[in-house]
Amino acid sequence: MLTEADANSNTKVIRSNVAIVGAGPAGIVLALELAKSGIDVVLIESGNPKFSERIQALSDAGEIDLARHAPMADCTRRQLGGASVIWGGRCVPFDPVDFDDRPYVPHSRWPIEYCEIAGYFQRASEYFFCGRAEFDVEDAAGVERRPIVPGLPNGDVISTSLERWSLPTDFGREYGSALNHSSNIRLLCGITCTEVECSADGHSVTGIRGRALDGGTIRILADQCVLACGGLETTRLLFCSDRRHPGGLGNHSGQLGRFYMGHVSGEIARARFSTDPRHTAYGFDRDQDGVYVRRRFSFARSFLHRFQLANCTCYPVNPKIHDPAHGNGVLSFAYLALSSTILGKRLASDAIRKAAIGKREAVSDWQHWRNVLFDCPRALAFAATFGFRRFVKWRKIPGFYQFSAENCYPLHYNCEHLPNPESRVQVGRDVDEMGMRKLRVDLRYGQTDYENVIEAHRHLDEYLRSHGCGALEYLTDDPVGHVKAQASHGFHQCGTTRMSSNPVDGVVDPNCRVHGLENLYVASSSVFVTSGQAGPTFMIVAFALRLADHLKRVQMNGRRIIKKSTVASSQSSSSALA
Ligand SMILES: Cc1cc2nc3c(=O)[nH]c(=O)nc-3n(C[C@H](O)[C@H](O)[C@H](O)COP(=O)(O)OP(=O)(O)OC[C@H]3O[C@@H](n4cnc5c(N)ncnc54)[C@H](O)[C@@H]3O)c2cc1C
């Protein structure tokens, strides 16, 4: 039987081999992989295929410092596909150095080796449609083998490493039909998991409990449960499932919610290259599959160890588009388009728009119109070609970069946010519409985070100068203060259920299983021990693939497989509760 009435209530009960909570990239990839092996999966998702403000509000934080953290409405998405509905689409793996023993970075030791996850990169790339898992121009077929600045060799600084872009891939849209048509997946949308249920002895979980906004409830009994609710909601659900484990599941050593990391990012300098401006590789290339790629400056593994630096990358970008002083008609056109309520929302998500246009009231539009007028032919040509590539094409151009005749480009940095137990999330007293306690978010940066950024710039400057390729110019006399002022995140939610071999040091074990619970797993960037320089999503999917392989082995080791033919038809909405 697919559903049966709970003995004492109207709660429906579903049985499955594996219950997955959350249908963002992690949950979707995991469900599809398990289903391919004949494992019966129930995937429950709080959101629906269509966005709902009311469901989104379930993610609102109880306490949050908006100077340090984006509003939850901008950095999470309660919808089928999760935050991939609104993300930028940049795909970058972690580096070997992230998994090295780095005694100079406290709390940074991963309990697994880089090679244990690198083997999943190609399969992850396929889910993203971001081409081959080749992240250096030396390896990437079809990409011109040249550094950012002509004549700058790879050494302590590397300028041939690549970022790749997905479509940007909205996992709900791309895989919704595969989920609905799989004979081994039951996708239940519009149902929020409010509790993970524990066995009486507290050593395992029996299943999960879910609710729809209209009040209907459901229990899913499963051999294994996986929480894939995103880096913050997964942790919140563990905190809220405290019936048998006071303080929350996985909080045996008080580590749950700690080590919350994003990235340290912003701009403090521009690079003025002294080479031929026409040969600066500042923008996008496309590989042989048509995938957009971009070079950036990074540092050699041995160099980071020698100077005891955190991992950091920088790349040339456009001048701030909201400042009309750039005098560039294309940039002003982009500003006006992004700040228009109707067009802007179609071009990028609210978070990305806000980052690009800055504080709108601070700028007067007429100066931008003036720039567009004086640069009309270029602005019109840009509107036509960019519009076509962004709106019409399946693979969308991720953005645009403007050539600088002065060969001078602002540098955007993306630096590792160091693990810090005091940077954390907890649950407070306020509750959401489902009665779940809301998060108190306290994302913290430390002095070493700021100094790493400064050191990375200092070394890059020295490297450019020593090879006669240019130099950095700082945008302010107080670079540390400037890094500090820009330090804010929330889009990359890492660390709050960190992985450890020893239960004392973390929440999940190297297989992403919650310590002390034999069948509860986490598929999320919350398991990351460090944040690296990369956005988390590529690694989230690589880890989801690795977890899928582990769960397949667990299921095959003598556990029964529930055949879909013996249960009723697939459910794809909260009508499962009806
Ligand atoms: C504006 C923006 C830009 C970004 N750009 C990039 C980028 O360029 N590169 C990059 O690597 N990363 C980027 N990210 C981060 C990226 O979107 C996330 O890392 C990724 O979506 C995380 O995937 P996930 O499956 O772990 O979680 P999510 O995508 O957060 O999905 C979790 C799902 O779980 C559901 N859920 C939550 N709680 C419950 C519950 N209690 N019961 C049932 N369901 C629940 C949610 O509705 C959601 O659908 C960006 C994020 C944002 C917001």
Side-chain angles (χ1 to χ4, degrees):
M1 282 276 290
L2 168 66
T3 61
E4 57 193 62
D6 198 15
N8 305 316
S9 69
N10 290 326
T11 302
K12 302 283 182 183
V13 180
I14 299 184
R15 293 173 200 284
S16 71
N17 294 134
V18 179
I20 303 174
V21 186
I28 289 176
V29 168
L30 190 59
L32 291 172
E33 287 291 313
L34 295 176
K36 272 194 238 162
S37 298
I39 295 169
D40 176 73
V41 176
V42 171
L43 174 59
I44 80 161
E45 165 54 45
S46 181
N48 287 303
K50 266 190 102 175
F51 180 68
S52 144
E53 300 264 359
R54 190 171 159 212
I55 294 179
Q56 180 63 45
L58 297 173
S59 280
D60 286 350
E63 282 175 41
I64 190 165
D65 175 2
L66 294 176
R68 285 276 166 265
H69 199 284
M72 298 294 268
D74 285 356
C75 65
T76 62
R77 188 76 164 189
R78 293 252 182 164
Q79 187 177 352
L80 180 65
S84 75
V85 175
I86 53 170
W87 77 317
R90 188 185 339 187
C91 296
V92 197
F94 275 24
D95 302 306
V97 72
D98 298 316
F99 291 78
D100 284 347
D101 198 5
R102 295 183 296 162
Y104 51 91
V105 179
H107 311 290
S108 66
R109 190 72 182 104
W110 282 77
I112 61 168
E113 302 292 327
Y114 179 74
C115 59
E116 291 176 61
I117 191 69
Y120 291 93
F121 289 175
Q122 185 51 47
R123 277 166 69 197
S125 294
E126 284 154 23
Y127 272 104
F128 287 101
F129 303 96
C130 71
R132 298 166 199 214
E134 293 157 346
F135 293 93
D136 194 288
V137 295
E138 301 296 332
D139 313 315
V143 181
E144 214 183 322
R145 292 187 173 196
R146 61 188 177 113
I148 295 177
V149 196
L152 188 70
N154 276 349
D156 290 342
V157 172
I158 294 165
S159 71
T160 56
S161 74
L162 290 178
E163 300 174 331
R164 293 186 160 268
W165 261 268
S166 61
L167 301 173
T169 310
D170 170 341
F171 279 68
R173 195 166 51 208
E174 288 302 326
Y175 298 107
S177 150
L179 293 172
N180 280 317
H181 289 111
S182 166
S183 54
N184 290 317
I185 298 175
R186 280 163 287 169
L187 169 66
L188 308 181
C189 286
I191 298 179
T192 300
C193 176
T194 50
E195 187 183 348
V196 181
E197 295 184 323
C198 243
S199 60
D201 65 7
H203 295 323
S204 59
V205 296
T206 49
I208 56 179
R209 190 171 277 274
R211 266 189 62 189
L213 273 181
D214 65 11
T217 55
I218 191 166
R219 286 179 72 205
I220 295 154
L221 306 179
D223 302 333
Q224 273 87 36
C225 295
V226 183
L227 307 187
C229 316
L232 293 180
E233 291 295 334
T234 294
T235 310
R236 178 182 175 201
L237 185 51
L238 287 168
F239 271 124
C240 291
S241 304
D242 59 353
R243 215 180 282 256
R244 302 228 176 255
H245 289 250
L249 295 176
N251 204 9
H252 44 273
S253 52
Q255 304 285 2
L256 185 65
R258 291 189 182 273
F259 297 99
Y260 181 27
M261 298 169 284
H263 282 106
V264 196
S265 56
E267 284 168 34
I268 53 165
R270 52 184 166 248
R272 190 175 291 279
F273 303 121
S274 51
T275 47
D276 184 342
R278 290 168 305 168
H279 296 135
T280 304
Y282 60 91
F284 294 114
D285 272 22
R286 297 185 82 173
D287 75 0
Q288 66 169 25
D289 303 313
V291 173
Y292 288 95
V293 298
R294 186 175 60 180
R295 295 166 184 76
R296 69 258 170 87
F297 293 109
S298 56
F299 294 92
R301 182 181 186 177
S302 56
F303 180 82
L304 292 174
H305 281 297
R306 192 158 18 110
F307 286 90
Q308 307 202 335
L309 278 180
N311 202 352
C312 188
T313 54
C314 306
Y315 40 84
V317 292
N318 291 321
K320 296 269 181 235
I321 65 168
H322 56 77
D323 180 0
H326 51 58
N328 181 315
V330 171
L331 295 180
S332 280
F333 181 86
Y335 170 81
L336 292 167
L338 281 168
S339 50
S340 119
T341 336
I342 299 165
L343 184 58
K345 278 192 186 300
R346 300 203 59 205
L347 281 167
S349 66
D350 279 353
I352 293 173
R353 285 173 62 225
K354 280 184 200 169
I357 63 182
K359 283 215 170 73
R360 196 160 150 59
E361 66 274 18
V363 192
S364 102
D365 282 358
W366 76 263
Q367 286 169 287
H368 283 293
W369 282 114
R370 195 170 157 272
N371 287 343
V372 173
L373 221 62
F374 280 108
D375 209 1
C376 208
R378 254 174 26 93
L380 284 178
F382 165 79
T385 49
F386 185 79
F388 178 72
R389 291 180 190 160
R390 185 78 197 171
F391 289 119
V392 181
K393 296 291 233 181
W394 174 65
R395 181 176 295 288
K396 301 193 183 317
I397 188 164
F400 67 96
Y401 291 101
Q402 287 288 285
F403 171 70
S404 160
E406 292 81 46
N407 216 4
C408 184
Y409 296 88
L411 275 183
H412 187 91
Y413 58 83
N414 217 28
C415 195
E416 176 176 8
H417 181 187
L418 300 176
N420 169 6
E422 300 311 319
S423 178
R424 66 191 295 197
V425 297
Q426 294 167 282
V427 283
R429 293 216 175 118
D430 299 346
V431 294
D432 69 12
E433 199 181 333
M434 295 283 183
M436 280 181 84
R437 279 168 287 155
K438 292 184 177 184
L439 281 176
R440 286 164 49 200
V441 181
D442 184 9
L443 180 71
R444 292 192 193 180
Y445 292 91
Q447 191 63 19
T448 322
D449 287 312
Y450 311 136
E451 282 162 10
N452 271 319
V453 175
I454 304 298
E455 280 300 285
H457 282 76
R458 188 172 69 75
H459 288 295
L460 176 57
D461 179 48
E462 271 176 26
Y463 197 79
L464 288 171
R465 286 175 194 270
S466 66
H467 288 90
C469 289
L472 299 195
E473 297 170 355
Y474 287 92
L475 305 176
T476 137
D477 294 338
D478 175 21
V480 176
H482 211 45
V483 176
K484 201 170 174 178
Q486 293 172 88
S488 168
H489 226 272
F491 302 103
H492 302 160
Q493 300 152 4
C494 307
T496 53
T497 65
R498 69 184 346 231
M499 184 188 279
S500 68
S501 299
N502 188 335
V504 171
D505 300 323
V507 176
V508 302
D509 75 5
N511 286 320
C512 298
R513 186 178 60 84
V514 176
H515 283 297
L517 289 161
E518 61 188 40
N519 56 350
L520 178 64
Y521 293 82
V522 171
S524 163
S525 47
S526 60
V527 306
F528 293 0
V529 176
T530 57
S531 62
Q533 46 70 33
T537 316
F538 188 82
M539 294 303 284
I540 291 174
V541 168
F543 271 100
L545 290 165
R546 180 171 171 271
L547 177 57
D549 282 355
H550 174 76
L551 291 176
K552 283 180 217 167
R553 284 193 295 273
V554 172
Q555 284 285 329
M556 294 307 154
N557 280 345
R559 301 218 179 218
R560 83 210 139 93
I561 303 272
I562 296 174
K563 290 271 178 246
K564 188 71 168 277
S565 54
T566 67
V567 296
S569 63
S570 139
Q571 306 274 337
S572 62
S573 76
S574 53
S575 65
L577 306 183

